[in-house]
Amino acid sequence: MTGSPYAQTHLSRRAGLAVLAGGLVAVAGPVLAQSSFSGFVEGFRARARARGVSDQAYDRAMGGLTADDEVLQLQRRQAEFMEAPWQYLSRRVSDWRITTGRARAQEHAALLARIEADYGVDRFAIMSVWGNESSYGEVLTNNRVMRNVFRSLATLSWGEPRRKAYWEGELLNALIIVERGWADPREMVGSWAGAMGHTQFMPEAWLRMAVDYDGDGRANLFRIPDALASTARFLRDRGRWQTGRPWGYEVVAASDFEASAADGSTARSLSRWASMGIARADGMALSGDSEARLRFPSGLQGPGFLTMQNFRAFLAYNPSFLYALAVAHLGDRIGGGGPFVTPWPGAERVLTSDEMAEIQRRLTAAGFDTGGTDGRVGDMTRRAVRGFQERNNLPLTDGFPSEPFLNQIRQI
């Protein structure tokens, strides 16, 4: 879904995921809380009617809902894990996501070719968004992660007053999707913030950007053709994607380069950056009048990046620099590109899927629930790592399953 840290004119699909923690409504106890929530649900019916939602559609989506206290807790603790850039990227651009992305790109080659022709968006960029947002659809069947979006959005509308208008607006948008017959309420599961489908659109973006690409009369983001085409449309229309242009380049700086120039906000031509001492890390020439912005996320000793308009298209999807970099890099890797040329300062070797699975098995045996032993790292695995670190008084309690952590858990 769309959301994270970068400013934009439009609310992104996942903007709900970037909402900062706010205060909660105080309630006297479970009975009063549920009574208050039920009253909110029934009272909201009039708002839905005013937007053209029938009572039948409303009852199908909202009937029998109870408040989800965990959604409010998740909304409060979004920033629980703080990661270094290389940690974030090693999770997002994992061996599994690369190999699976290549396989899925082959499987859907004809569909992707058609989308490229219709929207002008690179197929590997689309595949990367899919991989980052839902692990190519696999997360959609994970009941530990997916939630009924009407329950989530109603809970947030009722219990999170700082963004009440936003949540109520998205709840109305989700109800309109049901009224239009685009999706069944029972299949509308998503993140705690209400993002849905293979590429995690918030309801507003679903209504405005979704495409009926399989021709069944419904723009349904739980269908792969509709989801991938809708993602391409989003990147083209809201992200202003430039067909045939790169997202940017990995770069290195000359020894006398002035670090303050890499502020990430000043746009200069590629030729100007070259004259200032910036060069492509792959040794190819850096030239032209395309404007780019420069960032070195871990300092001048680590990899640097000149980013152009197509990188900003990823930021329209989710306004976090690291998210956009992960999508850009995973797309390159799915398309056959290699890893970054310059290593991250202090970064350990990236663990293989088998090593990740070993960590999960050992954590499970130690009494920490990782949600499975598939070698893929999600929030449950990271919480388990942190719990193990804290219980054993390890020097780091960062929740990151690194090579040193693997050695530690083997010894303990």
Side-chain angles (χ1 to χ4, degrees):
M1 21 192 276
T2 44
S4 246
Y6 0 114
Q8 54 185 342
T9 302
H10 300 285
L11 269 175
S12 63
R13 307 159 302 106
R14 300 175 69 184
L17 295 184
V19 175
L20 297 177
L24 302 181
V25 173
V27 293
V31 175
L32 178 58
Q34 185 53 47
S35 173
S36 171
F37 179 76
S38 297
F40 166 80
V41 170
E42 187 52 40
F44 199 73
R45 184 187 296 270
R47 292 276 306 275
R49 284 174 179 162
R51 288 287 300 274
V53 176
S54 65
D55 284 346
Q56 181 183 24
Y58 192 87
D59 290 337
R60 288 174 60 209
M62 303 284 280
L65 290 185
T66 57
D68 188 341
D69 292 338
E70 190 174 3
V71 164
L72 297 177
Q73 295 168 16
L74 289 168
Q75 187 271 339
R76 296 174 64 189
R77 63 171 187 253
Q78 292 176 70
E80 180 177 353
F81 293 99
M82 301 299 292
E83 296 175 301
W86 66 268
Q87 292 176 320
Y88 181 92
L89 289 165
S90 70
R91 286 194 305 108
R92 291 279 183 166
V93 191
S94 65
D95 178 67
W96 182 87
R97 278 195 170 97
I98 295 167
T99 56
T100 304
R102 290 171 178 170
R104 296 291 173 84
Q106 287 289 330
E107 178 185 353
H108 299 289
L111 170 65
L112 291 167
R114 180 182 162 208
I115 292 173
E116 277 185 329
D118 286 346
Y119 295 98
V121 177
D122 179 77
R123 69 181 63 194
F124 300 118
I126 299 168
M127 292 300 302
S128 183
V129 171
W130 189 19
N132 269 279
E133 294 294 348
S134 71
S135 296
Y136 309 106
E138 292 202 8
V139 75
L140 299 181
T141 59
N142 185 342
N143 292 331
R144 294 175 180 266
V145 178
M146 294 290 100
R147 300 170 180 275
N148 177 290
V149 298
F150 295 99
R151 188 184 185 204
S152 295
L153 290 171
T155 297
L156 289 164
S157 298
W158 162 75
E160 205 289 279
R162 291 182 62 182
R163 293 297 300 272
K164 182 178 178 63
Y166 172 75
W167 297 121
E168 288 184 346
E170 289 294 20
L171 179 56
L172 286 170
N173 290 329
L175 288 165
I176 292 170
I177 291 169
V178 175
E179 179 65 32
R180 291 183 180 180
W182 286 359
D184 188 297
R186 292 170 296 183
E187 71 178 326
M188 294 173 69
V189 296
S191 74
W192 64 264
M196 293 175 282
H198 283 272
T199 50
Q200 295 289 279
F201 276 36
M202 290 297 288
E204 179 273 338
W206 184 331
L207 285 176
R208 296 181 184 275
M209 293 284 114
V211 177
D212 174 20
Y213 210 63
D214 60 11
D216 68 351
R218 305 187 303 161
N220 189 323
L221 300 180
F222 290 92
R223 306 293 183 263
I224 290 174
D226 292 3
L228 299 189
S230 299
T231 300
R233 182 186 180 190
F234 187 100
L235 291 172
R236 183 195 68 181
D237 293 356
R238 288 197 176 175
R240 299 180 181 179
W241 183 272
Q242 295 180 343
T243 302
R245 305 298 294 274
W247 62 264
Y249 304 106
E250 182 190 351
V251 296
V252 294
S255 59
D256 59 350
F257 178 76
E258 177 53 55
S260 62
D263 61 7
S265 61
T266 302
R268 295 183 174 93
S269 71
L270 297 177
S271 295
R272 175 60 179 149
W273 284 117
S275 72
M276 294 172 64
I278 297 299
R280 285 178 55 168
D282 60 9
M284 297 183 68
L286 182 65
S287 62
D289 58 4
S290 295
E291 288 198 336
R293 292 167 172 81
L294 177 64
R295 283 190 65 169
F296 284 83
S298 60
L300 294 182
Q301 301 308 309
F305 304 96
L306 278 176
T307 63
M308 296 184 284
Q309 180 56 43
N310 287 347
F311 190 87
R312 295 182 69 80
F314 299 140
L315 293 178
Y317 208 86
N318 179 324
S320 158
F321 176 84
L322 287 180
Y323 172 88
L325 184 59
V327 171
H329 189 45
L330 178 60
D332 287 348
R333 298 299 307 276
I334 294 172
F340 293 134
V341 175
T342 303
W344 295 95
E348 295 97 357
R349 174 181 64 84
V350 176
L351 297 181
T352 66
S353 296
D354 287 343
E355 288 171 325
M356 289 290 190
E358 179 186 347
I359 286 176
Q360 290 171 325
R361 288 194 299 271
R362 290 181 180 274
L363 286 169
T364 301
F368 296 92
D369 187 4
T370 62
T373 58
D374 55 5
R376 284 178 276 166
V377 179
D379 285 345
M380 292 187 70
T381 295
R382 295 160 70 201
R383 290 192 180 96
V385 170
R386 172 170 284 186
F388 185 91
Q389 290 169 329
E390 291 175 344
R391 188 174 77 181
N392 290 280
N393 297 313
L394 298 182
L396 281 178
T397 57
D398 59 357
F400 188 74
S402 61
E403 185 174 15
F405 178 78
L406 175 59
N407 294 330
Q408 289 167 336
I409 197 171
R410 284 170 171 170
Q411 294 169 4
I412 296 174

